[in-house]
Amino acid sequence: MNNKHLKTLTLISMTAALAMTVGCGSTSSDATASSSNASAKKLVMMTSADYPPYESHKTDGGSDQIVGFDVDIAKAISKNLGYELQIKDVDFNGLLPALQAKQSDFVMAGMTPKPERLQNADFSDMYYEAKNTIIAKKGANLKTEADIKAKKVGVQLGSIQEGAAKKMEGVNITSLNKIGDLIQEIKAGRLDAAIIEDTVAKGYIASNKDLEFNTIPQTESAGSAIAFPKGSTLVGDFNKELQKLKDSGELDSLIKKWFETTN
Ligand code: ARG
């Protein structure tokens, strides 16, 4: 069912670069032709592109691309390992089933390696930490679990925020597929609040001045790691590359690029 929403959105072809490095005589400008070259290996990444600054759609003069922190990390790692990268967009709730069905080589979606998920996927080391917040209309002043008791609270279907909300007493939960839909429901007054991680909440607040967010004290980590099908041999390679990005300061530069906005 999610498959019909599956769209191949980005094909980052490294083949042109490869052809130049290898210097194989006539340089073809046809990326498809050169990608049939035996040396062009491809990795398929799945994500849920409703999660800026980790991943979101960017439309530039008619062309639709998925961009973000996760995408930049995935590009850097794939490039260093000598792969082409293809990115597919799927609802968050469909990511792990698709991964288990081997429809992708890895998932990067600001995904937290929760114990339940470890049964169905292998995870890389963490590459970013985050916390949960309560996002609501400006002035609502909802700060703690107690404040949202008996309120209508939205969460993303299949997310750890949904899990966290279910553990809270007396919260009236609505689970939706897309973060953007949660925001719209709050603005329309059909939801009192939503639980969303801090970095993502910050971005939505910046473009929706009628909303505010408060970090929930003492919640579990909502940090991110890369998910692979169980037993994938890519995990070790990805961890090595992640470590290199950490050591070289490249990861810090990407954190600055995507998370340290001036609003
Ligand atoms: N970190 C949370 C989780 O793993 C939420 C991630 C949502 N990601 C997304 N691309 N919508 O459950």
Side-chain angles (χ1 to χ4, degrees):
M1 39 149 197
N2 284 319
N3 284 1
K4 72 172 176 232
H5 297 301
L6 268 183
K7 276 196 286 173
T8 303
L9 286 145
T10 319
L11 179 64
I12 299 133
S13 171
M14 298 187 350
T15 47
L18 268 179
M20 280 160 72
T21 335
V22 178
C24 48
S26 68
T27 322
S28 166
S29 59
D30 182 348
T32 339
S34 37
S35 67
S36 60
N37 184 321
S39 66
K41 305 179 288 175
K42 190 177 80 177
L43 286 180
V44 177
M45 159 176 158
M46 272 187 188
T47 192
S48 168
D50 63 339
Y51 216 51
Y54 291 90
E55 46 263 332
S56 60
H57 287 268
K58 185 179 165 209
T59 338
D60 238 349
S63 85
D64 180 38
Q65 269 197 317
I66 295 175
V67 299
F69 180 58
D70 283 347
V71 177
D72 280 357
I73 295 175
K75 278 186 192 172
I77 293 180
S78 311
K79 182 168 173 251
N80 292 344
L81 293 174
Y83 289 99
E84 278 179 28
L85 180 67
Q86 185 182 357
I87 304 178
K88 292 181 177 178
D89 188 14
V90 177
D91 283 347
F92 187 76
N93 194 42
L95 288 172
L96 285 181
L99 192 64
Q100 278 178 281
K102 301 259 167 72
Q103 287 166 9
S104 82
D105 297 296
F106 67 99
V107 162
M108 263 185 109
M111 188 178 272
T112 311
K114 289 288 285 177
E116 307 87 88
R117 290 180 180 156
L118 294 176
Q119 288 165 14
N120 303 319
D122 287 343
F123 280 86
S124 72
D125 298 332
M126 299 276 273
Y127 58 86
Y128 199 66
E129 284 292 345
K131 291 201 178 81
N132 285 338
T133 76
I134 299 170
I135 187 164
K137 280 234 177 90
K138 206 170 219 139
N141 210 23
L142 303 175
K143 293 187 169 150
T144 64
E145 183 176 335
D147 293 340
I148 51 173
K149 199 169 175 172
K151 298 256 188 256
K152 281 181 269 169
V153 176
V155 285
Q156 183 163 41
L157 186 67
S159 67
I160 59 157
Q161 287 74 20
E162 182 184 46
K166 282 183 177 161
K167 283 191 208 141
M168 296 177 181
E169 225 182 290
V171 174
N172 182 348
I173 304 168
T174 301
S175 302
L176 300 178
N177 272 325
K178 305 264 183 220
I179 299 283
D181 295 340
L182 296 172
I183 301 294
Q184 288 317 316
E185 291 299 288
I186 296 172
K187 288 168 80 82
R190 285 186 290 266
L191 286 177
D192 297 311
I195 302 177
I196 296 179
E197 76 166 85
D198 49 2
T199 42
V200 175
K202 199 173 154 200
Y204 277 103
I205 288 315
S207 46
N208 294 277
K209 303 286 182 203
D210 52 333
L211 302 181
E212 66 179 16
F213 76 92
N214 290 294
T215 305
I216 309 175
Q218 292 157 344
T219 44
E220 299 157 28
S221 155
S224 301
I226 310 169
F228 301 85
K230 270 227 153 295
S232 168
T233 52
L234 288 171
V235 187
D237 291 343
F238 268 63
N239 275 338
K240 270 189 218 134
E241 293 302 326
L242 264 182
Q243 192 56 47
K244 282 192 215 161
L245 294 178
K246 288 177 187 170
D247 294 343
S248 67
E250 215 176 311
L251 189 66
D252 280 336
S253 314
L254 291 178
I255 289 171
K256 283 211 181 70
K257 173 180 170 189
W258 291 103
F259 296 108
E260 289 169 25
T261 46
T262 45
N263 36 61

